Amino acid sequence: MILQIIDICYLVAVVLFILGIKMMSHPDSARRGNGIALSGMLLAIIASFLTPGLDNLILIIIAMALGTIGGLYSAKTVQMTAMPQLVSFFNGMGGAAAALIGLVEYGDLPVDDIGKGSVLMASLVIGSVSFSGSMIAMGKLQGVIKDIRINKILGFLVLAAAVGLAIYVLNSGEPQPILVYLLIFLSLIYGLLFVYPIGGADMPVVISLLNALTGVTAATTGLLYDNKVMLMGGILVGSAGLLLTLLMAKAMNRSVSNILFTSFGTASGAA
Amino acid sequence: MEAIIEYISSNQQEFYVFILAIFVGIEVISKVPTVLHTPLMSGSNALSGVVIVGSIIVLGKTDPANYLALSLGFLAVLLATLNVVGGFAVTNRMLEMFKKKPGKK
């Protein structure tokens, strides 16, 4: 019975997410849309607390209380001009959370389950990239991190190494905790190399893209648990975020490939 | 390769949901005006904090004697909560200033 109630709560939460995003894309209803999306999220959180066999409740509540205080405090005190940085910071936190879930789950997953294993590797890699990328994007908007010229090929090499490593870990047939840490490390480095060479003015577009990536990790985590609310919510953010990235680039008269694959030094000349 | 194909065919429902959700995501925001780009980005960022559901489950199912997993799970719940709460709060603040703008014009 309780499982059915949880499922229905998740279903309603997904509907509220869709309605919320839809209303957020119209000026008149945008604020109400945010409230509706928030109520969907609260419903999903309450439902997840009903999961049978949940232990460590005190730890969960302490962690949530700390997160709530930190989130509310930083959102209320931030300067209006510094809001994009804060969004980037929060986005990085979501990516990191997804990667951490993957890390904890790695120990429990049977090594011969290649299907779920691939999903887990995707969570680890994309979550870590989203985390380190968001941190760099935040630093750039804040002006703490200067633009540095890095050959983009270096980034692709690191990414290729990470993907190769993930495939090796999957096929090795035994648990490889050290290699999984190395995989996370490589992914973090790729996130840095991905965002470093992009000029500060293009950061909003990059943050939107990283936001879409965090959505994808939420979805892969949902696949891991067969959890529909995470799957739907994550993919919704992933696809809406990707379209938003394209729209934002268009509004700036830039193309996404121009932003991502051209070094910032030459970008102004090419555009 | 076989394992992946088998995974997809045994989880068909999930993959149908996956594909349909992509189209829903694109459809619902396709007419967003430029002024709402940043608030919408912030709002959808808050939604990606839905990983909090996973982090609550992962911490809740962790063996209380496994300290490494406990601390990782604790951190996951903390960070996901930051994403959710901060995300919605900052979106609300953005939309608050948005409301005042039409008066000026």
Side-chain angles (χ1 to χ4, degrees):
Chain A
M1 184 61 187
I2 192 77
L3 286 176
Q4 281 88 331
I5 293 176
I6 295 175
D7 278 341
I8 291 172
C9 287
Y10 284 160
L11 178 69
V12 175
V14 167
V15 174
L16 292 173
F17 286 173
I18 297 174
L19 277 178
I21 294 195
K22 177 135 186 87
M23 289 168 82
M24 257 189 265
S25 60
H26 293 282
D28 302 334
S29 57
R31 269 194 87 187
R32 256 184 309 141
N34 191 44
I36 286 184
L38 172 64
S39 56
M41 187 64 80
L42 290 177
L43 187 63
I45 292 172
I46 292 169
S48 64
F49 268 106
L50 298 177
T51 311
L54 221 55
D55 212 347
N56 308 319
L57 279 175
I58 298 168
L59 274 182
I60 297 179
I61 290 170
I62 294 173
M64 286 184 72
L66 289 177
T68 306
I69 295 168
L72 280 182
Y73 178 77
S74 43
K76 294 274 180 242
T77 52
V78 65
Q79 296 274 315
M80 290 194 187
T81 47
M83 278 181 183
Q85 287 92 306
L86 194 63
V87 172
S88 182
F89 171 76
F90 290 143
N91 184 49
M93 295 301 106
L100 286 171
I101 294 171
L103 192 58
V104 178
E105 274 300 296
Y106 180 72
D108 296 339
L109 202 70
V111 280
D112 54 346
D113 192 343
I114 307 266
K116 281 213 165 160
S118 327
V119 172
L120 194 143
M121 294 294 149
S123 282
L124 283 178
V125 172
I126 307 173
S128 309
V129 169
S130 167
F131 169 68
S132 62
S134 297
M135 292 302 117
I136 298 294
M138 178 180 83
K140 281 205 168 191
L141 281 175
Q142 193 69 40
V144 182
I145 295 169
K146 297 277 174 285
D147 293 348
I148 296 175
R149 246 173 223 276
I150 298 175
N151 198 328
K152 304 237 165 166
I153 295 169
L154 193 62
F156 287 116
L157 286 178
V158 173
L159 182 63
V163 172
L165 186 64
I167 293 173
Y168 174 75
V169 170
L170 276 178
N171 289 314
S172 69
E174 48 190 294
Q176 307 274 13
I178 295 167
L179 289 184
V180 166
Y181 283 114
L182 181 64
L183 179 68
I184 292 178
F185 178 73
L186 282 178
S187 310
L188 290 172
I189 297 291
Y190 175 68
L192 304 180
L193 293 174
F194 173 62
V195 181
Y196 252 129
I198 300 172
D202 290 328
M203 274 309 123
V205 179
V206 175
I207 294 175
S208 179
L209 185 67
L210 292 168
N211 174 36
L213 281 185
T214 309
V216 173
T217 36
T220 51
T221 314
L223 273 181
L224 210 58
Y225 289 103
D226 297 324
N227 184 314
K228 294 272 191 320
V229 73
M230 286 168 75
L231 178 64
M232 257 321 258
I235 284 297
L236 209 58
V237 173
S239 64
L242 191 61
L243 177 63
L244 192 59
T245 309
L246 297 172
L247 291 176
M248 284 171 98
K250 204 172 151 198
M252 291 166 68
N253 267 324
R254 306 266 274 130
S255 82
V256 172
S257 64
N258 196 338
I259 292 171
L260 297 185
F261 302 116
T262 323
S263 293
F264 61 88
T266 56
S268 53
Chain B
M1 198 62 210
E2 268 172 53
I4 292 171
I5 291 171
E6 202 190 302
Y7 178 71
I8 292 176
S9 66
S10 60
N11 289 282
Q12 272 189 39
Q13 225 193 349
E14 270 74 18
F15 281 89
Y16 275 105
V17 170
F18 201 99
I19 306 284
L20 288 175
I22 294 176
F23 285 98
V24 172
I26 292 173
E27 197 55 42
V28 286
I29 69 147
S30 57
K31 292 194 181 71
V32 61
T34 314
V35 275
L36 279 179
H37 280 176
T38 312
L40 185 61
M41 176 174 87
S42 177
S44 61
N45 162 53
L47 273 189
S48 64
V50 73
V51 285
I52 191 174
V53 170
S55 57
I56 288 173
I57 295 174
V58 93
L59 181 54
K61 296 261 161 104
T62 301
D63 176 9
N66 186 347
Y67 291 115
L68 176 65
L70 271 189
S71 37
L72 292 177
F74 182 83
L75 202 57
V77 175
L78 176 62
L79 300 185
T81 314
L82 260 179
N83 189 179
V84 171
V85 175
F88 279 113
V90 86
T91 311
N92 198 42
R93 265 195 71 189
M94 275 180 198
L95 292 170
E96 245 166 37
M97 30 183 212
F98 185 77
K99 207 171 61 176
K100 289 168 197 154
K101 270 186 186 166
K104 277 185 194 167
K105 276 178 192 172

